[in-house]
């Protein structure tokens, strides 16, 4: 592959425009209706999961939720681009992709509820734990992909990140290692325009994030991240390239974060409502629904069936998260090291004494209140 072939296009790949009409592209085929219907089901379920999780935060059942509302095409495209034997390395905003890979929604929410573990069996689903630190999962993904290649396994790793992660040193190290050692990994950057409150213009002066790829010697690709058909086609090519020994690819999806960074964020302080509303017309769900309805592939009966399935998922989430976790404070110390150090043991004793004092104080207050009566 010559240098010119490493560069991304001037415009992002788009196969279905914002009005639902197909767009011809010589380099990327439009997936068939069967594949698009599967993707549409995933989009509907993903949107319902996002909305339900946000509601659970307001009810106090989740500690935090970084919504991917509006980015569902990236989430579903990432999950569907992989085979069962491949691995997904997600970020904290990729719960919908994690669920689309087969993880039960309630298990995917355990980390965001505030429990101490990831909530699901990573090996059973071939999905790494969701990563909260920016870009650290990229290094893990590259190491995993390199090890799989050394063992002769037919495994491709898809590593997700946001535009903010491209400003981290770990991003550079991961891409450089992957390119030098020809690791079977695809880097999928969901460029949603903001790293919390920092706009893309304050993160890079490059023509696009995909242009960074040529500096490492790998292809860079740009795709309309709200067009699930294009996401499927572009990621499919990158995954196939990695599987057949072509090495890594950097894919940048142009999308938008429709909601706040998390429930703790006030996005009105750094962006205008008009800017957010402008992206409503590019909604990935509406776009694909319009296209499939026009082609006759999506009937009212099928639409109702898909919506009912999404409601069942939301109901299961509500039921599973409507319980309190039985927490053991000693778990904070139990799984840090194989053998607990004297310093860690001392900290545990201090915490235990504090808990016992609080419990004794509560008992005394209850007894006193009973005596007054």
């Amino acid at each position: 592959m010559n240098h010119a072939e490493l560069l991304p296009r001037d415009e992002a790949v788009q196969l279905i425009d914002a009005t639902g009409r197909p767009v011809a592209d010589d380099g990327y085929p439009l997936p068939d209706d069967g594949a698009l219907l599967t993707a549409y089901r995933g989009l509907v379920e993903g949107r319902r999961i996002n909305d339900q999780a946000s509601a659970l935060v307001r009810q106090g059942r989740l500690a935090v939720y970084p919504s991917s509302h509006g980015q569902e095409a990236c989430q579903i495209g990432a999950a569907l681009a992989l085979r069962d034997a491949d691995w997904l390395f997600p970020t904290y905003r990729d719960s919908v992709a994690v669920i689309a890979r087969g993880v039960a929604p309630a298990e995917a929410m355990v980390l965001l509820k505030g429990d101490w573990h990831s909530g699901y069996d990573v090996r059973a689903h071939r999905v790494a734990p969701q990563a909260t630190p920016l870009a650290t999962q990229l290094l893990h993904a590259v190491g995993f992909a390199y090890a799989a290649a050394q063992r002769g396994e037919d495994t491709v790793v898809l590593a997700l990140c946001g535009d903010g992660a491209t400003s981290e040193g770990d991003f550079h190290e991961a891409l450089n290692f992957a390119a030098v050692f020809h690791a079977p990994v695809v880097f999928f950057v969901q460029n949603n325009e903001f790293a919390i409150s920092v706009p893309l213009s304050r993160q890079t002066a490059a023509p696009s994030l995909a242009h960074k790829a040529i500096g490492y010697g790998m292809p860079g690709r740009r795709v309309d991240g709200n067009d699930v058909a294009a996401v499927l086609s572009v990621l499919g090519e990158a995954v196939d390239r990695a599987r057949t020994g072509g090495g890594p690819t950097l894919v940048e999806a142009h999308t938008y974060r429709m909601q706040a960074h998390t429930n703790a964020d006030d996005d009105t302080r750094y962006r205008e409502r008009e800017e957010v509303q402008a992206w409503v017309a590019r909604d990935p769900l509406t776009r694909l629904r319009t296209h499939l309805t026009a082609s006759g592939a999506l009937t009212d009966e099928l639409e109702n069936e898909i919506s009912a399935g999404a409601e069942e998922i939301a109901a299961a989430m509500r039921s599973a998260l409507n319980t309190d976790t039985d927490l053991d404070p000693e778990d904070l110390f139990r799984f840090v090291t194989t053998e607990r150090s004297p310093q860690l043991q001392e900290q545990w004793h201090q915490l235990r004494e504090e808990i016992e004092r609080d419990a004794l104080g509560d008992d005394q207050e209850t007894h006193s209140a009973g005596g007054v009566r």
Side-chain angles (χ1 to χ4, degrees):
M1 182 175 287
N2 60 47
H3 291 170
E5 292 175 328
L6 297 181
L7 285 169
R9 297 182 181 184
D10 291 336
E11 300 293 332
V13 176
Q14 184 181 81
L15 300 180
I16 299 175
D17 68 17
T19 67
R21 287 193 287 264
V23 178
D25 190 291
D26 293 336
Y28 294 94
L30 179 69
D32 61 34
D33 283 348
L36 292 179
L37 283 171
T38 298
Y40 180 70
R41 183 183 296 273
L43 293 182
V44 173
E45 293 174 353
R47 178 63 54 84
R48 189 66 187 91
I49 288 165
N50 274 321
D51 291 346
Q52 182 61 73
S54 295
L56 288 167
V57 170
R58 294 191 294 271
Q59 297 164 14
R61 291 301 174 182
L62 285 178
V64 65
Y65 186 69
S67 176
S68 60
H69 185 112
Q71 297 180 218
E72 290 93 350
C74 296
Q75 300 282 293
I76 299 305
L80 294 181
L82 300 175
R83 295 180 183 175
D84 290 344
D86 297 333
W87 276 75
L88 182 76
F89 277 69
T91 74
Y92 54 83
R93 198 178 299 281
D94 297 321
S95 297
V96 169
V98 169
I99 293 167
R101 279 288 283 172
V103 176
E107 292 181 0
M109 296 295 146
V110 166
L111 178 68
L112 301 171
K113 184 179 179 181
D115 211 335
W116 60 269
H117 60 87
S118 68
Y120 54 87
D121 185 338
V122 296
R123 291 189 177 276
H125 300 286
R126 296 182 179 268
V127 178
Q130 288 183 263
T132 300
L134 291 188
T136 56
Q137 78 282 0
L138 302 183
L139 293 171
H140 303 157
V142 171
F144 194 100
Y146 178 72
Q150 292 298 301
R151 291 193 294 263
E153 298 172 357
D154 180 20
T155 300
V156 174
V157 174
L158 180 59
L160 301 175
C161 71
D163 48 290
T166 66
S167 299
E168 298 290 329
D170 287 357
F171 176 84
H172 159 76
E173 294 168 8
L175 268 69
N176 195 55
F177 187 99
V180 169
F181 292 97
H182 225 57
V185 60
V186 177
F187 300 97
F188 187 35
V189 181
Q190 296 173 77
N191 175 8
N192 63 19
E193 301 292 335
F194 286 94
I196 308 182
S197 60
V198 180
L200 184 66
S201 61
R202 304 301 295 172
Q203 297 182 67
T204 183
S208 76
L209 295 176
H211 277 80
K212 294 179 181 289
I214 193 171
Y216 301 100
M218 69 176 69
R221 301 290 181 256
R222 301 174 69 188
V223 62
D224 181 343
N226 284 23
D227 174 9
V228 73
V231 172
L232 285 170
S233 195
V234 173
L235 281 182
E237 178 201 53
V239 169
D240 288 345
R241 181 174 182 272
R243 195 179 308 282
T244 55
T249 302
L250 172 62
V251 177
E252 176 189 8
H254 295 269
T255 184
Y256 195 77
R257 198 188 74 214
M258 296 298 295
Q259 298 181 345
H261 176 67
T262 69
N263 52 292
D265 172 42
D266 179 8
D267 63 321
T268 63
R269 298 177 62 183
Y270 56 85
R271 62 183 185 182
E272 300 296 331
R273 291 299 90 186
E274 291 77 11
E275 178 186 345
V276 179
Q277 286 301 310
W279 279 83
V280 172
R282 308 179 196 181
D283 188 292
L285 194 58
T286 305
R287 181 184 305 198
L288 187 55
R289 179 190 295 124
T290 301
H291 174 77
L292 290 172
T293 301
S295 72
L298 182 64
T299 62
D300 289 343
E301 181 182 5
L302 183 55
E303 176 77 58
N304 291 335
E305 176 196 323
I306 291 173
S307 296
E311 288 302 323
E312 289 179 6
I313 292 173
M317 286 176 61
R318 291 194 300 271
S319 177
L321 293 170
N322 194 31
T323 57
D324 293 323
T325 303
D326 186 15
L327 299 176
D328 183 352
E330 194 173 1
D331 283 347
L332 290 168
F333 308 90
R334 183 174 285 126
F335 304 109
V336 178
T337 55
T338 303
E339 295 183 9
R340 197 176 300 175
S341 67
Q343 294 84 358
L344 209 58
Q345 187 69 13
E346 180 182 0
Q347 292 174 29
W348 162 236
H349 286 322
Q350 290 175 349
L351 177 59
R352 185 174 61 185
E353 289 171 0
E354 183 177 339
I355 293 171
E356 291 172 350
R357 282 197 303 270
D358 289 345
L360 181 60
D362 291 342
D363 289 343
Q364 290 175 343
E365 288 181 13
T366 301
H367 180 73
S368 298
V372 169
R373 293 194 191 96

